[in-house]
């Protein structure tokens, strides 16, 4: 139960830190990948300054508040056949001009089997409803996907057209992003 497997990123456009996290506890309506945020001015005294996204607003307190998952669970974590996204990893993609999340999906059998690594895109973090429907990137596989930029100045928070794709701390792949107007798939 509870919250975990989080990723934090700063958005200079609205001066907030965004916390994307897995919500495992409570009713199934609050399970999945959720988000909270905190204004940059509160970073040295954050108590009471984190607000969770719930029903279209940022008004639920970080501790004890309700959440509306951006990517809701289809079957509760407490069920043998749980079906939910979890473990989000977020970065700004300078080539796409969008935010990108990679996350895991456990689905449909005992022991929370890995059903794949998924990817999604959003141009504006302040509007969680703009996240695209997650698309399968890697079938099955391992946990904790992450993109790490490979050009000077890039990192796990900033990547361009081509970057390294890590899964569970190892990188056997390179990921190449494509813009939607090219008519091609967004990644390869």
């Amino acid at each position: 139960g509870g919250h975990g497997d989080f990723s934090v990123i700063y958005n200079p456009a609205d001066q907030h830190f965004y916390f994307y996290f897995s919500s495992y506890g409570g009713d199934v309506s609050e399970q999945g990948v959720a988000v909270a945020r905190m204004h940059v001015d509160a970073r040295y005294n954050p108590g009471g300054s984190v607000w969770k996204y719930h029903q279209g607003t940022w008004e639920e307190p970080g501790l004890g508040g309700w959440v509306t998952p951006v990517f809701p669970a289809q079957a509760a974590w407490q069920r043998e056949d749980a079906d939910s996204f979890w473990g989000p990893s977020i970065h700004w993609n300078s080539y796409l001009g969008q935010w990108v999340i990679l996350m895991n999906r456990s689905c449909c059998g005992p022991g929370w089997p890995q059903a794949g690594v998924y990817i999604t895109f959003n141009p504006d973090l302040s509007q969680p409803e703009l996240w695209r429907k997650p698309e399968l990137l890697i079938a099955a596989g391992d946990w904790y996907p992450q993109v790490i930029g490979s050009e000077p100045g890039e990192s796990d928070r900033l990547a361009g057209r081509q970057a390294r794709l890590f899964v569970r701390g190892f990188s056997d792949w390179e990921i190449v992003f494509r813009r939607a107007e090219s008519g091609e798939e967004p990644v390869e």
Side-chain angles (χ1 to χ4, degrees), residues 7-21 35-53 58-62 125-126:
S7 183
V8 180
I9 196 151
Y10 177 66
N11 181 10
D14 68 2
Q15 299 185 327
H16 280 88
F17 289 97
Y18 285 84
F19 305 81
Y20 279 84
F21 57 92
V35 62
R37 71 180 184 180
M38 178 186 76
H39 195 274
V40 69
D41 292 344
R43 69 188 179 278
Y44 298 117
N45 191 15
S49 299
V50 176
W51 299 96
K52 293 177 179 173
Y53 182 76
W58 298 96
E59 297 176 3
E60 286 294 317
L125 287 184
S126 70

Side-chain angles (χ1 to χ4, degrees), residues 21-105:
F21 57 92
S22 304
S23 180
Y24 297 106
D27 188 76
V28 67
S29 66
E30 291 207 48
Q31 295 180 20
V33 173
V35 62
R37 71 180 184 180
M38 178 186 76
H39 195 274
V40 69
D41 292 344
R43 69 188 179 278
Y44 298 117
N45 191 15
S49 299
V50 176
W51 299 96
K52 293 177 179 173
Y53 182 76
H54 176 63
Q55 296 183 346
T57 68
W58 298 96
E59 297 176 3
E60 286 294 317
L63 292 177
W66 300 98
V67 296
T68 299
V70 180
F71 305 106
Q74 300 304 304
W77 283 102
Q78 295 79 7
R79 291 178 39 168
E80 188 172 292
D81 63 343
D83 182 358
S84 186
F85 291 108
W86 66 279
S89 174
I90 187 169
H91 78 274
W92 171 254
N93 190 285
S94 59
Y95 175 74
L96 297 174
Q98 295 193 52
W99 301 95
V100 178
I101 286 182
L102 271 63
M103 58 192 155
N104 304 286
R105 180 178 174 215

Side-chain angles (χ1 to χ4, degrees), residues 68-186:
T68 299
V70 180
F71 305 106
Q74 300 304 304
W77 283 102
Q78 295 79 7
R79 291 178 39 168
E80 188 172 292
D81 63 343
D83 182 358
S84 186
F85 291 108
W86 66 279
S89 174
I90 187 169
H91 78 274
W92 171 254
N93 190 285
S94 59
Y95 175 74
L96 297 174
Q98 295 193 52
W99 301 95
V100 178
I101 286 182
L102 271 63
M103 58 192 155
N104 304 286
R105 180 178 174 215
S106 288
C107 183
C108 314
W112 305 328
Q114 174 71 343
V117 170
Y118 284 73
I119 190 167
T120 181
F121 307 89
N122 182 342
D124 184 354
L125 287 184
S126 70
Q127 298 184 52
E129 65 278 2
L130 295 181
W131 284 104
R132 289 179 42 186
K133 180 181 176 185
E135 299 176 39
L136 182 64
L137 183 64
I138 302 172
D142 220 330
W143 303 338
Y144 300 117
Q146 184 178 29
V147 170
I148 299 181
S150 53
E151 295 298 319
E154 294 181 344
S155 66
D156 62 335
R157 301 292 176 229
L158 173 66
R161 183 171 191 276
Q162 198 166 329
R164 296 299 304 178
L165 173 61
F166 284 76
V167 179
R168 203 173 196 165
F170 297 98
S171 177
D172 289 328
W173 307 278
E174 194 169 71
I175 187 168
V176 178
F177 293 92
R178 296 188 183 125
R179 293 188 180 111
E181 60 267 15
S182 71
E184 299 176 307
E185 290 298 313

